[in-house]
Amino acid sequence: MTLTRALPLTTLAAAIAVASHVQADTQTLRVATVNNNDMVIMQSLSDEFEQAHPDIELDWVVLEENVLRQRLTTDIATQGGQFDVMTIGTYEVPIWAERDWLVPLTDLPEEYEVDDLLDTVRDGLSQDGELYALPFYGESSMLYFRTDLFEEHGIEMPEAPTWEQVHDWASQIHDPENEQFGICLRGKPGWGENMAFVSTLVNTFGGRWFDEEWQPEINSAEWQEAISFYVDLLGNYGPPGASSNGFNENQALFSSGKCAMWVDATSAAGRIYNPDESEVADRLGFSQAPVAETPKGSHWLWSWALAIPSSSENQEAARKFLTWATSREYIELVGETEGWTSVPPGTRTSTYEDERYIEAAPFANFVLTAMQNADPTDSTLKPSPYVGVQFAGIPEFQAIGTQVGQMIAAALTEQMSVEQALDSAQRSTERTMRQAGYYD
């Protein structure tokens, strides 16, 4: 029989006091992020951060993209203080920074190597030359395709494909009886969902959101041609229920071999080239995003980034987490634990100089070039008054883009004609812009 001696009351009281003191000194960071693969990896590796910072605990709120944006916009606009770290992008950062809603990220530690950040990404997350968010990953857009299906149909992918060619290829390869669809594209409504893709399509058809006097041009001939093309292409050669598919849904479809082509974010490349994640990793090709009338604005520029809202009461602890999750050391951690195709792309020059990444990721230099060549200040054939490739960088765009996205989805599902959808979108956008004071 083993006897356990009870602690003296004074010792027990001291232990409780120490535990209470440690608990009281622990800060809980509420981190809001999107349910994309790179962020899921970040959450899975966050034990490393907590072990290095025993006084900080992370409370994760992981949401679908449209829901995340709605929650964060409401919280930041009301200074609700629900979150200490927000996952936002190149659209929100300059707008929110200008309103003093974000904490400026000045005097970053030398070991963070801020000059290693890609210039285009760093510029997009700055306001008046000052960083207000740190990039977790960056992306442009590109065309993915199944090399085996192209060979089977005698199709050769050119360096710069056109949308007319894509339409022709999709019609040849489409085989719905065998769950083989000609193309997958975003259909889920939302300014950052279907409209991220649709905006680039409209750009390359020669369209723009606004003229130089801020008058909407959504029912212009260029928009009519682009959206008619989109509805025909995806309606005839896409998967069933395409209006419900966003980035994650299409990535799953493509990875499982059900799409012959997919035009979407370059950030998907790491996952669909990973044989542990993708059934088509050994039959995968890529090319530039297709063009119609002009290559201007055919591929977007975006960064998902981490920022600290000014309403946070834990700003110093949040700053420690931001610099950890966007550091070279974090990229090394992901490479060593998850594989080098899984590292967050599009943020640091050093990633694209690392032989381990270059060897594992045949798309690396292609993605880097696409990101460096995307120009948010010159993304339309005719001059436009806004900055942005797949969005217009004004506060009103979030509501406008989402509303227009709903109209486009209604045309895709044949609830209304393309002409009706665009006329309705034009009227609602004119009303929003007039109420915002852009014109009388």
Side-chain angles (χ1 to χ4, degrees):
M1 180 177 180
T2 303
L3 296 176
T4 303
R5 186 170 62 182
L7 287 171
L9 288 177
T10 53
T11 306
L12 182 60
I16 292 172
V18 170
S20 299
H21 177 71
V22 170
Q23 189 172 13
D25 284 349
T26 299
Q27 292 176 284
T28 299
L29 292 181
R30 200 153 196 240
V31 182
T33 195
V34 68
N35 63 343
N36 290 352
N37 187 60
D38 291 279
M39 283 70 173
V40 173
I41 291 174
M42 174 173 62
Q43 185 182 6
S44 72
L45 295 176
S46 61
D47 284 350
E48 297 276 344
F49 174 80
E50 290 178 318
Q51 288 170 14
H53 301 85
D55 57 335
I56 302 174
E57 291 182 352
L58 301 175
D59 176 21
W60 292 85
V61 180
V62 183
L63 300 167
E64 185 269 334
E65 188 169 319
N66 286 340
V67 178
L68 174 79
R69 288 187 162 124
Q70 185 177 19
R71 286 275 300 275
L72 295 190
T73 302
T74 300
D75 186 68
I76 199 86
T78 60
Q79 294 291 284
Q82 290 186 50
F83 306 104
D84 299 297
V85 176
M86 291 182 164
T87 304
I88 57 178
T90 45
Y91 167 72
E92 295 94 347
V93 171
I95 295 172
W96 292 5
E98 191 173 20
R99 298 182 178 192
D100 296 323
W101 289 350
L102 301 176
V103 175
L105 300 172
T106 54
D107 300 322
L108 291 166
E110 186 177 343
E111 59 270 21
Y112 183 74
E113 299 180 75
V114 68
D115 290 337
D116 186 42
L117 299 177
L118 295 176
D119 288 342
T120 50
V121 173
R122 184 175 172 179
D123 291 346
L125 300 176
S126 299
Q127 173 68 11
D128 294 330
E130 199 164 87
L131 270 171
Y132 281 84
L134 299 181
F136 184 68
Y137 74 77
E139 63 184 32
S140 186
S141 53
M142 62 197 280
L143 167 63
Y144 302 100
F145 67 97
R146 287 270 303 278
T147 56
D148 57 330
L149 294 175
F150 269 57
E151 289 172 8
E152 182 183 324
H153 288 82
I155 303 168
E156 187 172 336
M157 176 64 71
E159 183 179 343
T162 67
W163 276 114
E164 185 178 353
Q165 289 174 317
V166 167
H167 187 283
D168 181 49
W169 300 332
S171 69
Q172 293 181 52
I173 299 174
H174 190 59
D175 184 12
E177 290 185 4
N178 292 306
E179 287 193 288
Q180 180 65 70
F181 308 109
I183 193 163
C184 287
L185 299 169
R186 297 191 190 192
K188 181 188 289 186
W191 74 265
E193 281 284 7
N194 64 342
M195 295 314 296
F197 166 75
V198 167
S199 292
T200 61
L201 182 69
V202 169
N203 289 342
T204 195
F205 270 84
R208 56 186 174 176
W209 278 94
F210 305 99
D211 69 15
E212 292 179 279
E213 303 300 321
W214 289 106
Q215 292 285 344
E217 292 198 337
I218 301 170
N219 61 352
S220 65
E222 293 86 355
W223 272 78
Q224 294 276 357
E225 186 178 3
I227 304 308
S228 296
F229 177 87
Y230 166 76
V231 168
D232 174 71
L233 177 64
L234 192 52
N236 287 321
Y237 308 117
S243 63
S244 298
N245 295 339
F247 171 76
N248 284 328
E249 292 81 5
N250 282 323
Q251 181 174 256
L253 283 167
F254 191 87
S255 296
S256 62
K258 294 183 179 178
C259 305
M261 292 179 285
W262 180 35
V263 180
D264 214 298
T266 57
S267 58
R271 191 170 188 187
I272 60 178
Y273 264 97
N274 184 345
D276 295 331
E277 301 276 352
S278 170
E279 296 176 24
V280 297
D282 60 341
R283 293 166 283 158
L284 185 56
F286 57 87
S287 190
Q288 297 176 25
V291 301
E293 301 299 321
T294 175
K296 278 194 174 185
S298 61
H299 56 280
W300 67 62
L301 181 67
W302 180 256
S303 173
W304 278 116
L306 303 178
I308 306 169
S310 55
S311 55
S312 169
E313 296 181 355
N314 301 306
Q315 294 181 13
E316 191 54 40
R319 185 182 171 97
K320 290 178 182 177
F321 177 72
L322 260 65
T323 53
W324 173 81
T326 62
S327 66
R328 287 186 67 173
E329 289 72 25
Y330 176 80
I331 290 173
E332 179 82 20
L333 175 64
V334 176
E336 293 298 329
T337 58
E338 305 292 322
W340 282 94
T341 58
S342 297
V343 304
T347 61
R348 290 183 170 273
T349 301
S350 56
T351 302
Y352 294 89
E353 294 173 347
D354 194 311
E355 292 298 330
R356 294 168 296 180
Y357 184 63
I358 294 170
E359 184 177 346
F363 49 84
N365 286 330
F366 179 90
V367 170
L368 180 62
T369 301
M371 291 189 65
Q372 291 173 330
N373 289 341
D375 187 355
T377 66
D378 186 23
S379 62
T380 55
L381 184 59
K382 299 175 185 176
S384 63
Y386 54 87
V387 173
V389 181
Q390 77 279 24
F391 59 80
I394 58 174
E396 295 76 20
F397 183 78
Q398 184 163 344
I400 290 170
T402 294
Q403 194 163 29
V404 175
Q406 290 167 346
M407 302 296 181
I408 302 297
L412 183 61
T413 55
E414 300 182 334
Q415 296 176 47
M416 60 176 70
S417 69
V418 169
E419 185 176 5
Q420 289 172 327
L422 295 183
D423 283 344
S424 180
Q426 175 76 11
R427 288 192 298 271
S428 67
T429 304
E430 287 175 348
R431 187 164 52 248
T432 299
M433 297 297 280
R434 188 175 296 110
Q435 290 171 348
Y438 283 82
Y439 48 79
D440 295 329

